Amino acid sequence: MDIHPTAVVSPKAELADDVRIEAYSIIGPRVELGSGTIVGPHAVVDGWTKIGERNRIFPFATVGYPPQDLSYRGEETRLVIGNDNTIRENVTINRGTQRGGGVTCIGSHNLLMAYAHVAHDCVIGDHVILANATTLGGHVRIDDHAILGGLVAIHQFIRIGAYAFIGGKSGL
């Protein structure tokens, strides 16, 4: 492991041997990070969060924090992220809620560009692109190979089908 001396990593976190944690990042006690994952400077990964292999989390991302839902009362809910994802600067990804099934899931080979937000109980497939400042409300499902342009806002409980393309500054 390559952990910068200014990083705060819980001794209870489960980290693969070749994980890299850069300066001033925080890794919580219930986090699992898979092989080859890199957490950039000032990023926070917390909560019941499992991240697969070869993911890259850029500076100031907040991954696995509690959902922004008034029903949430601190229950054990999860965030599960697959392999080979790129999570750019200032991205926020929340865990699920009990009434929404308890899990937010992100597949593999996805690109979440700067300032994207993935709310509670979302399910994102594989090879999805969320361009800068794309915002997903709770319980959104995005199927494989969909592309959402910059500043797209998706209302809660919406499904975006496979290979869909939504132009920038659109809303559903």
Side-chain angles (χ1 to χ4, degrees):
M1 277 180 278
D2 181 9
I3 300 175
H4 192 276
T6 62
V8 178
V9 178
S10 171
K12 294 181 181 178
E14 295 181 31
L15 310 179
D17 291 339
D18 60 348
V19 164
R20 187 167 86 210
I21 311 295
E22 296 180 350
Y24 302 104
S25 290
I26 299 171
I27 308 297
R30 295 174 297 270
V31 171
E32 296 177 41
L33 297 178
S35 179
T37 293
I38 300 169
V39 178
H42 297 277
V44 177
V45 183
D46 201 11
W48 292 271
T49 298
K50 182 176 183 175
I51 298 176
E53 298 180 351
R54 298 172 306 279
N55 290 284
R56 178 71 168 103
I57 301 172
F58 280 77
F60 299 103
T62 302
V63 178
Y65 254 47
Q68 300 175 56
D69 185 295
L70 295 174
S71 72
Y72 183 73
R73 301 280 184 255
E75 305 89 1
E76 181 179 330
T77 59
R78 300 189 177 282
L79 168 62
V80 177
I81 298 176
N83 303 321
D84 301 299
N85 294 291
T86 300
I87 300 169
R88 294 301 307 236
E89 300 83 1
N90 297 291
V91 168
T92 55
I93 306 171
N94 296 148
R95 297 190 320 265
T97 62
Q98 273 192 333
R99 79 179 168 165
V103 181
T104 299
C105 291
I106 297 177
S108 297
H109 305 282
N110 297 302
L111 171 58
L112 282 65
M113 293 184 188
Y115 299 98
H117 173 68
V118 179
H120 58 87
D121 304 298
C122 287
V123 176
I124 297 176
D126 299 332
H127 301 279
V128 170
I129 297 173
L130 302 183
N132 295 335
T134 296
T135 300
L136 307 181
H139 312 277
V140 169
R141 179 179 172 148
I142 301 180
D143 292 337
D144 297 348
H145 299 279
I147 299 172
L148 282 66
L151 301 169
V152 167
I154 305 298
H155 194 279
Q156 61 191 18
F157 297 103
I158 296 291
R159 180 177 179 183
I160 308 296
Y163 295 94
F165 183 91
I166 300 176
K169 295 176 77 174
S170 299
L172 296 178

